[in-house]
Amino acid sequence: MKKIECIIMDWAGTAVDYGCFAPVAAFVESFKAIGTPVTAAETRAHMGLTKIEEIRALFQIERVKTEFEEKFGRPCNEEDVLARYAEFQRVLFASLESYTEPIPGVVETIAALRVQGIKVGSTTGYTRSMMDVVLPAAAARGYVVDNCVTPDGLPAGRPAPYMIYKNMMELAVSSTDCVLKYGDTIADIKEGVNAKVWTVGVVLGSNELGLTEEEVGSMPATELEARKTEVRRRMSDAGAHYVVDTIRELPAVIEEINRKLSH
């Protein structure tokens, strides 16, 4: 009988870094340095891609293209992309370890799923060198995965399915029916859909919601619910099978999927 054997977690905004603030700040600082600023909302719209692909996407925003050409008298090119990526990395590496606190509920829920024999893989838009900072810092705070796949050396990062498939190979999971992808961005959802695995989006702490814990706690209930509803809609429209508020709901989702798989 088939059942969920493996969950594949995203990192920032899903497992650690509530609200996904580390990459947002680094993208904003990178473009501010050349006088063609991007907003936090613009960076969040592309979050989940590999970081250099996000730089390319930000340069394609019409307003950014126009401001760049007015400032420098020419269109942006690949050298500009690489320069912004280098600055992004400089800013990110300076602060990355500070953004590795597990999101509430993650450590306990993952521990409970491990007791059931479920393996824990992970995918990310970060490079291996970035994850070399995140992995030990998160482990020191109590969050450990069985496998971490980065986009390095693969044909593409998200929304392509390759990182999920590599996790499956390295964790010896033979069927996509038995895999669940859990993430906080639209790119995460599309990655899961493209891999043809069960796909679950999370709202609170996510890049898509883009709020700190303090902002969530102090926001009027009606406004927070409206924002959460919009995130749920976007994730559902992207193809998510389920959308949860927090990871504490994930064991119940897995139970429901297992019932479906048994019929």
Side-chain angles (χ1 to χ4, degrees):
M1 184 178 74
K2 285 184 177 179
K3 64 179 183 178
I4 295 297
E5 299 175 22
C6 174
I7 60 171
I8 299 187
M9 302 281 290
D10 174 51
W11 282 87
T14 297
V16 300
D17 186 9
Y18 192 107
C20 193
F21 283 93
V24 170
F27 283 124
V28 169
E29 285 300 313
S30 173
F31 278 78
K32 188 160 101 177
I34 57 168
T36 57
V38 295
T39 67
E42 286 167 337
T43 71
R44 289 187 183 282
H46 302 284
M47 199 65 69
L49 302 178
T50 62
K51 302 316 174 192
I52 194 161
E53 286 301 328
E54 173 141 3
I55 296 281
R56 291 191 178 103
L58 291 171
F59 266 122
Q60 290 307 306
I61 296 171
E62 204 57 45
R63 178 189 59 76
V64 176
K65 284 169 69 174
T66 300
E67 288 182 11
F68 185 94
E69 291 183 19
E70 288 175 353
K71 186 173 178 65
F72 295 100
R74 61 174 178 80
C76 63
N77 56 36
E78 187 64 11
E79 285 184 14
D80 299 308
V81 169
L82 295 175
R84 288 313 89 219
Y85 183 52
E87 179 66 5
F88 166 83
Q89 292 181 90
R90 185 192 69 76
V91 175
L92 185 73
F93 277 113
S95 63
L96 192 51
E97 192 171 341
S98 302
Y99 290 92
T100 54
E101 183 67 35
I103 289 172
V106 166
V107 172
E108 304 90 324
T109 303
I110 293 301
L113 294 175
R114 284 187 194 283
V115 170
Q116 300 176 29
I118 293 175
K119 300 171 183 178
V120 184
S122 63
T123 67
T124 180
Y126 286 154
T127 62
R128 176 56 60 180
S129 59
M130 294 169 191
M131 290 309 300
D132 286 343
V133 175
V134 174
L135 283 163
R141 293 166 167 85
Y143 180 64
V144 179
V145 297
D146 300 319
N147 201 48
C148 178
V149 175
T150 67
D152 308 62
L154 296 178
R158 297 173 187 141
Y162 306 119
M163 287 192 288
I164 289 178
Y165 294 153
K166 191 174 183 198
N167 268 287
M168 290 178 64
M169 287 189 292
E170 293 176 349
L171 292 172
V173 181
S174 61
S175 173
T176 53
D177 292 341
C178 302
V179 176
L180 184 151
K181 173 65 206 290
Y182 180 82
D184 72 299
T185 68
I186 300 305
D188 281 303
I189 304 301
K190 291 180 177 178
E191 177 188 36
V193 169
N194 288 337
K196 294 183 168 51
V197 301
W198 296 95
T199 303
V200 181
V202 59
V203 177
L204 292 176
S206 71
N207 168 78
E208 297 303 314
L209 191 62
L211 298 173
T212 65
E213 286 184 80
E214 293 74 19
E215 287 169 333
V216 168
S218 63
M219 185 171 289
T222 51
E223 181 182 352
L224 179 60
E225 195 51 49
R227 292 197 187 195
K228 286 164 57 179
T229 298
E230 174 57 21
V231 173
R232 288 189 198 103
R233 183 194 63 76
R234 292 202 303 271
M235 289 181 167
S236 296
D237 287 352
H241 295 97
Y242 298 87
V243 180
V244 298
D245 271 4
T246 77
I247 196 168
R248 293 183 179 96
E249 299 170 55
L250 189 56
V253 168
I254 289 173
E255 284 184 22
E256 184 173 326
I257 292 171
N258 286 343
R259 285 195 296 271
K260 292 179 179 179
L261 289 171
S262 68
H263 291 148

